[in-house]
PDB file of all heavy atoms in Angstrom:
ATOM      1  N   ASP A 217     -10.221  29.993   2.056  1.00  0.00           N
ATOM      2  CA  ASP A 217     -10.191  28.504   2.271  1.00  0.00           C
ATOM      3  C   ASP A 217     -11.425  27.877   1.761  1.00  0.00           C
ATOM      4  O   ASP A 217     -12.503  28.354   2.003  1.00  0.00           O
ATOM      5  CB  ASP A 217     -10.084  28.266   3.793  1.00  0.00           C
ATOM      6  CG  ASP A 217      -9.835  26.888   4.117  1.00  0.00           C
ATOM      7  OD1 ASP A 217     -10.232  25.984   3.230  1.00  0.00           O
ATOM      8  OD2 ASP A 217      -9.364  26.595   5.204  1.00  0.00           O
ATOM      9  N   THR A 218     -11.326  26.838   0.991  1.00  0.00           N
ATOM     10  CA  THR A 218     -12.495  26.232   0.319  1.00  0.00           C
ATOM     11  C   THR A 218     -12.809  24.895   0.985  1.00  0.00           C
ATOM     12  O   THR A 218     -13.413  24.056   0.393  1.00  0.00           O
ATOM     13  CB  THR A 218     -12.139  25.994  -1.139  1.00  0.00           C
ATOM     14  OG1 THR A 218     -11.012  25.175  -1.206  1.00  0.00           O
ATOM     15  CG2 THR A 218     -11.947  27.325  -1.888  1.00  0.00           C
ATOM     16  N   GLY A 219     -12.467  24.768   2.289  1.00  0.00           N
ATOM     17  CA  GLY A 219     -12.832  23.527   3.037  1.00  0.00           C
ATOM     18  C   GLY A 219     -14.289  23.546   3.396  1.00  0.00           C
ATOM     19  O   GLY A 219     -15.010  24.497   3.118  1.00  0.00           O
ATOM     20  N   VAL A 220     -14.669  22.392   4.079  1.00  0.00           N
ATOM     21  CA  VAL A 220     -15.989  22.362   4.623  1.00  0.00           C
ATOM     22  C   VAL A 220     -16.164  23.333   5.826  1.00  0.00           C
ATOM     23  O   VAL A 220     -15.300  23.331   6.709  1.00  0.00           O
ATOM     24  CB  VAL A 220     -16.272  20.944   5.086  1.00  0.00           C
ATOM     25  CG1 VAL A 220     -17.655  20.775   5.707  1.00  0.00           C
ATOM     26  CG2 VAL A 220     -16.114  19.917   3.955  1.00  0.00           C
ATOM     27  N   SER A 221     -17.235  24.047   5.827  1.00  0.00           N
ATOM     28  CA  SER A 221     -17.475  24.964   6.985  1.00  0.00           C
ATOM     29  C   SER A 221     -18.725  24.566   7.655  1.00  0.00           C
ATOM     30  O   SER A 221     -19.739  24.118   6.951  1.00  0.00           O
ATOM     31  CB  SER A 221     -17.508  26.415   6.485  1.00  0.00           C
ATOM     32  OG  SER A 221     -18.579  26.649   5.559  1.00  0.00           O
ATOM     33  N   GLN A 222     -18.828  24.855   8.936  1.00  0.00           N
ATOM     34  CA  GLN A 222     -19.976  24.541   9.731  1.00  0.00           C
ATOM     35  C   GLN A 222     -20.320  25.746  10.720  1.00  0.00           C
ATOM     36  O   GLN A 222     -19.390  26.366  11.208  1.00  0.00           O
ATOM     37  CB  GLN A 222     -19.765  23.277  10.610  1.00  0.00           C
ATOM     38  CG  GLN A 222     -19.659  21.991   9.760  1.00  0.00           C
ATOM     39  CD  GLN A 222     -19.634  20.740  10.601  1.00  0.00           C
ATOM     40  OE1 GLN A 222     -18.619  20.026  10.672  1.00  0.00           O
ATOM     41  NE2 GLN A 222     -20.784  20.524  11.310  1.00  0.00           N
ATOM     42  N   ASN A 223     -21.521  25.952  10.817  1.00  0.00           N
ATOM     43  CA  ASN A 223     -22.031  27.082  11.662  1.00  0.00           C
ATOM     44  C   ASN A 223     -23.265  26.675  12.391  1.00  0.00           C
ATOM     45  O   ASN A 223     -24.152  25.965  11.862  1.00  0.00           O
ATOM     46  CB  ASN A 223     -22.267  28.334  10.841  1.00  0.00           C
ATOM     47  CG  ASN A 223     -21.033  28.946  10.348  1.00  0.00           C
ATOM     48  OD1 ASN A 223     -20.331  29.587  11.173  1.00  0.00           O
ATOM     49  ND2 ASN A 223     -20.804  28.834   9.093  1.00  0.00           N
ATOM     50  N   PRO A 224     -23.370  27.115  13.757  1.00  0.00           N
ATOM     51  CA  PRO A 224     -22.348  27.750  14.519  1.00  0.00           C
ATOM     52  C   PRO A 224     -21.294  26.718  14.896  1.00  0.00           C
ATOM     53  O   PRO A 224     -21.426  25.525  14.683  1.00  0.00           O
ATOM     54  CB  PRO A 224     -23.142  28.321  15.649  1.00  0.00           C
ATOM     55  CG  PRO A 224     -24.204  27.237  15.888  1.00  0.00           C
ATOM     56  CD  PRO A 224     -24.619  26.825  14.523  1.00  0.00           C
ATOM     57  N   ARG A 225     -20.148  27.231  15.472  1.00  0.00           N
ATOM     58  CA  ARG A 225     -19.180  26.264  15.971  1.00  0.00           C
ATOM     59  C   ARG A 225     -19.558  25.814  17.354  1.00  0.00           C
ATOM     60  O   ARG A 225     -19.201  24.655  17.735  1.00  0.00           O
ATOM     61  CB  ARG A 225     -17.852  27.039  16.037  1.00  0.00           C
ATOM     62  CG  ARG A 225     -17.257  27.425  14.767  1.00  0.00           C
ATOM     63  CD  ARG A 225     -16.843  26.200  13.936  1.00  0.00           C
ATOM     64  NE  ARG A 225     -15.979  25.272  14.730  1.00  0.00           N
ATOM     65  CZ  ARG A 225     -14.683  25.334  14.918  1.00  0.00           C
ATOM     66  NH1 ARG A 225     -14.065  26.332  14.277  1.00  0.00           N
ATOM     67  NH2 ARG A 225     -14.054  24.490  15.605  1.00  0.00           N
ATOM     68  N   HIS A 226     -20.282  26.539  18.139  1.00  0.00           N
ATOM     69  CA  HIS A 226     -20.737  26.180  19.398  1.00  0.00           C
ATOM     70  C   HIS A 226     -22.205  26.574  19.641  1.00  0.00           C
ATOM     71  O   HIS A 226     -22.565  27.627  19.094  1.00  0.00           O
ATOM     72  CB  HIS A 226     -19.872  26.820  20.553  1.00  0.00           C
ATOM     73  CG  HIS A 226     -18.433  26.498  20.349  1.00  0.00           C
ATOM     74  ND1 HIS A 226     -17.778  25.393  20.944  1.00  0.00           N
ATOM     75  CD2 HIS A 226     -17.488  27.237  19.818  1.00  0.00           C
ATOM     76  CE1 HIS A 226     -16.543  25.439  20.654  1.00  0.00           C
ATOM     77  NE2 HIS A 226     -16.239  26.549  20.031  1.00  0.00           N
ATOM     78  N   LYS A 227     -22.940  25.689  20.288  1.00  0.00           N
ATOM     79  CA  LYS A 227     -24.350  25.996  20.610  1.00  0.00           C
ATOM     80  C   LYS A 227     -24.696  25.543  21.967  1.00  0.00           C
ATOM     81  O   LYS A 227     -24.507  24.305  22.284  1.00  0.00           O
ATOM     82  CB  LYS A 227     -25.218  25.394  19.510  1.00  0.00           C
ATOM     83  CG  LYS A 227     -26.698  25.681  19.770  1.00  0.00           C
ATOM     84  CD  LYS A 227     -27.108  27.111  19.451  1.00  0.00           C
ATOM     85  CE  LYS A 227     -28.580  27.365  19.606  1.00  0.00           C
ATOM     86  NZ  LYS A 227     -28.922  28.827  19.362  1.00  0.00           N
ATOM     87  N   ILE A 228     -25.200  26.445  22.797  1.00  0.00           N
ATOM     88  CA  ILE A 228     -25.713  25.982  24.140  1.00  0.00           C
ATOM     89  C   ILE A 228     -27.188  26.255  24.137  1.00  0.00           C
ATOM     90  O   ILE A 228     -27.630  27.356  23.707  1.00  0.00           O
ATOM     91  CB  ILE A 228     -25.034  26.812  25.261  1.00  0.00           C
ATOM     92  CG1 ILE A 228     -23.527  26.487  25.239  1.00  0.00           C
ATOM     93  CG2 ILE A 228     -25.646  26.378  26.673  1.00  0.00           C
ATOM     94  CD1 ILE A 228     -22.791  27.413  26.241  1.00  0.00           C
ATOM     95  N   THR A 229     -27.958  25.243  24.484  1.00  0.00           N
ATOM     96  CA  THR A 229     -29.439  25.407  24.493  1.00  0.00           C
ATOM     97  C   THR A 229     -30.061  24.708  25.669  1.00  0.00           C
ATOM     98  O   THR A 229     -29.382  23.915  26.400  1.00  0.00           O
ATOM     99  CB  THR A 229     -30.066  24.801  23.117  1.00  0.00           C
ATOM    100  OG1 THR A 229     -31.338  25.171  23.031  1.00  0.00           O
ATOM    101  CG2 THR A 229     -29.926  23.285  23.208  1.00  0.00           C
ATOM    102  N   LYS A 230     -31.239  25.030  26.001  1.00  0.00           N
ATOM    103  CA  LYS A 230     -31.999  24.398  27.056  1.00  0.00           C
ATOM    104  C   LYS A 230     -32.746  23.244  26.557  1.00  0.00           C
ATOM    105  O   LYS A 230     -33.219  23.224  25.405  1.00  0.00           O
ATOM    106  CB  LYS A 230     -32.863  25.407  27.758  1.00  0.00           C
ATOM    107  CG  LYS A 230     -32.094  26.582  28.415  1.00  0.00           C
ATOM    108  CD  LYS A 230     -33.143  27.429  29.137  1.00  0.00           C
ATOM    109  CE  LYS A 230     -32.380  28.591  29.867  1.00  0.00           C
ATOM    110  NZ  LYS A 230     -33.337  29.533  30.514  1.00  0.00           N
ATOM    111  N   ARG A 231     -32.833  22.243  27.369  1.00  0.00           N
ATOM    112  CA  ARG A 231     -33.624  21.043  27.026  1.00  0.00           C
ATOM    113  C   ARG A 231     -35.077  21.437  26.526  1.00  0.00           C
ATOM    114  O   ARG A 231     -35.703  22.253  27.117  1.00  0.00           O
ATOM    115  CB  ARG A 231     -33.745  20.215  28.260  1.00  0.00           C
ATOM    116  CG  ARG A 231     -34.315  18.810  27.998  1.00  0.00           C
ATOM    117  CD  ARG A 231     -34.251  17.925  29.255  1.00  0.00           C
ATOM    118  NE  ARG A 231     -34.856  18.689  30.380  1.00  0.00           N
ATOM    119  CZ  ARG A 231     -34.851  18.251  31.679  1.00  0.00           C
ATOM    120  NH1 ARG A 231     -34.235  17.105  31.922  1.00  0.00           N
ATOM    121  NH2 ARG A 231     -35.393  18.923  32.606  1.00  0.00           N
TER     122      ARG A 231
END
Side-chain angles (χ1 to χ4, degrees):
Chain A
D217 189 334
T218 57
V220 178
S221 62
Q222 292 188 245
N223 287 288
R225 293 293 310 277
H226 304 274
K227 179 71 177 178
I228 300 174
T229 191
K230 293 182 179 179
R231 188 175 51 187

